[in-house]
């Protein structure tokens, strides 16, 4: 019930099924979405995962087999970057950070490798047109054992602090830019930093599109909600093994030569 009460997590239930905005689900996905919302087990799910563990909703949202948690992260990253291109300059996805030379970081958990990179960088989001902003996205599973016995507010705060301890000092002192961690739950909720970020984004979009702010922020919340919902359904229904995947067969060379000869004769 706490997950269902998160602001934005129920946006998909209160919108018209407008296909041009991506606000639609087929009937099987709608049934799965209701099951996920109320904590039920979706019908006709597998008993065991291909990794050998029991197949539960908790496991499905976290299992790395098939790459579905990464896809969930990338969907939010790409949606956010696309919207930022409407109002920001020099938007870059997965920008590399400058390598460190003699700089030292105060925290042990700070990322100091030369190949470090964040999810999004853009100019002109928080400040002037040339002020750089770096953004890093995290979508966590609230059903995971590490989060299950912690309140949602504490979960969001914990993940935001982990991101800040890893990147904030380096971004501020080396890149001379600002850093914002975007933490979302797989059920559709937003952390405090993400809430402020998307409100700012909606305000900039409303000004550019000449639309009321409340309409733009509602549309933005619906877009995030549907993206996370589809990702969660994919984690439950997606194939994590090679069984059932289409295999592209390579025709024999003699057949290719024969077809090429026929084409020349024609």
């Amino acid at each position: 019930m706490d997950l269902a009460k998160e602001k934005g997590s129920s946006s998909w239930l209160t919108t018209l099924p407008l296909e041009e905005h991506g606000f639609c689900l087929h009937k099987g996905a709608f049934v799965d979405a209701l099951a996920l919302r109320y904590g039920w087990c979706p019908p006709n799910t597998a008993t065991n995962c291909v990794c050998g563990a029991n197949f539960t909703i908790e496991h499905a949202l976290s299992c790395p087999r098939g790459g579905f948690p990464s896809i969930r992260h990338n969907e939010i990253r790409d949606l956010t970057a696309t919207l930022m291109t409407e109002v920001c300059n020099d938007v870059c996805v997965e920008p590399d950070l400058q390598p460190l030379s003699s700089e030292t970081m105060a925290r042990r958990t700070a990322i100091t490798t030369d190949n470090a990179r964040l999810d999004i960088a853009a100019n002109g989001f928080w400040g002037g047109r040339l002020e750089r902003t770096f953004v890093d996205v995290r979508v966590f599973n609230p059903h995971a054992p590490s989060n299950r016995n912690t309140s949602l507010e504490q979960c969001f705060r914990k993940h935001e602090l982990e991101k800040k301890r890893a990147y904030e000092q380096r971004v501020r002192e080396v890149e001379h830019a600002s850093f914002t961690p975007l933490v979302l739950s797989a059920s559709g909720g937003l952390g405090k930093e993400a809430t402020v970020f998307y409100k700012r984004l909606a305000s900039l979009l409303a000004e550019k599109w000449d639309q009321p702010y409340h309409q733009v922020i509602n549309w933005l919340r619906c877009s995030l909600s549907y993206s996370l919902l589809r990702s969660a359904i994919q984690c439950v229904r997606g194939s994590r093994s090679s069984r059932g995947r289409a295999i592209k067969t390579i025709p024999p060379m003699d057949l290719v030569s024969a077809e090429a000869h026929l084409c020349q004769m024609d």
Side-chain angles (χ1 to χ4, degrees):
M1 294 303 296
D2 290 337
L3 294 174
K5 290 188 296 183
E6 287 185 283
K7 192 166 187 177
S9 62
S10 301
S11 298
W12 65 275
L13 273 175
T14 60
T15 58
L16 294 175
L18 304 175
E19 188 173 357
E20 59 270 24
H21 293 282
F23 299 161
C24 59
L25 300 170
H26 58 73
K27 63 179 183 179
F30 186 78
V31 172
D32 290 342
L34 289 178
L36 292 174
R37 174 179 172 81
Y38 293 108
W40 303 332
C41 182
N44 303 320
T45 55
T47 304
N48 298 312
C49 182
V50 295
C51 68
N54 294 330
F55 192 87
T56 61
I57 300 302
E58 168 198 322
H59 177 77
L61 294 178
S62 301
C63 182
R65 292 290 293 270
F68 297 126
S70 298
I71 294 174
R72 176 176 62 202
H73 165 276
N74 294 344
E75 286 291 320
I76 297 297
R77 179 202 63 192
D78 295 343
L79 173 62
T80 304
T82 300
L83 294 176
M84 291 181 73
T85 57
E86 294 284 329
V87 294
C88 298
N89 304 313
D90 194 18
V91 179
C92 180
V93 175
E94 295 191 351
D96 293 326
L97 297 178
Q98 298 181 60
L100 301 179
S101 52
S102 59
E103 297 89 353
T104 58
M105 300 292 107
R107 298 185 181 276
R108 296 181 179 178
T109 55
I111 304 300
T112 58
T113 55
D114 290 342
N115 59 350
R117 58 186 179 182
L118 294 175
D119 286 325
I120 308 171
N123 290 344
F125 186 81
W126 290 119
R129 293 183 178 180
L130 299 181
E131 184 175 339
R132 197 75 165 158
T133 298
F134 286 86
V135 175
D136 205 50
V137 178
R138 173 174 290 181
V139 182
F140 71 92
N141 174 18
H143 301 285
S146 59
N147 300 317
R148 188 187 306 161
N149 298 323
T150 308
S151 67
L152 283 173
E153 183 178 357
Q154 292 175 336
C155 284
F156 282 115
R157 184 61 178 165
K158 177 186 70 173
H159 291 292
E160 287 176 348
L161 288 177
E162 287 179 1
K163 288 291 185 182
K164 286 187 174 183
R165 289 167 181 164
Y167 294 107
E168 186 174 36
Q169 183 183 359
R170 181 170 179 175
V171 170
R172 185 179 65 249
E173 297 182 0
V174 179
E175 302 290 341
H176 290 262
S178 60
F179 173 71
T180 303
L182 299 184
V183 178
L184 303 88
S185 69
S187 57
L190 304 177
K192 183 178 179 180
E193 300 271 355
T195 299
V196 175
F197 177 89
Y198 284 114
K199 284 183 177 180
R200 170 66 175 169
L201 180 58
S203 178
L204 295 174
L205 291 172
E207 182 179 355
K208 180 177 181 180
W209 294 343
D210 193 22
Q211 296 290 330
Y213 169 79
H214 69 276
Q215 292 183 4
V216 177
I217 189 64
N218 286 337
W219 173 85
L220 181 55
R221 284 176 180 150
C222 290
S223 299
L224 293 171
S225 178
Y226 270 95
S227 178
L228 291 170
L229 180 62
R230 289 195 180 92
S231 299
I233 295 173
Q234 189 177 32
C235 287
V236 175
R237 297 297 183 183
S239 174
R240 287 183 165 85
S241 66
S242 59
R243 183 179 300 176
R245 296 181 183 176
I247 300 176
K248 184 177 180 180
T249 57
I250 301 176
M253 291 303 300
D254 54 352
L255 179 59
V256 175
S257 301
E259 290 180 350
H261 179 67
L262 291 175
C263 292
Q264 292 177 358
M265 294 178 60
D266 293 341

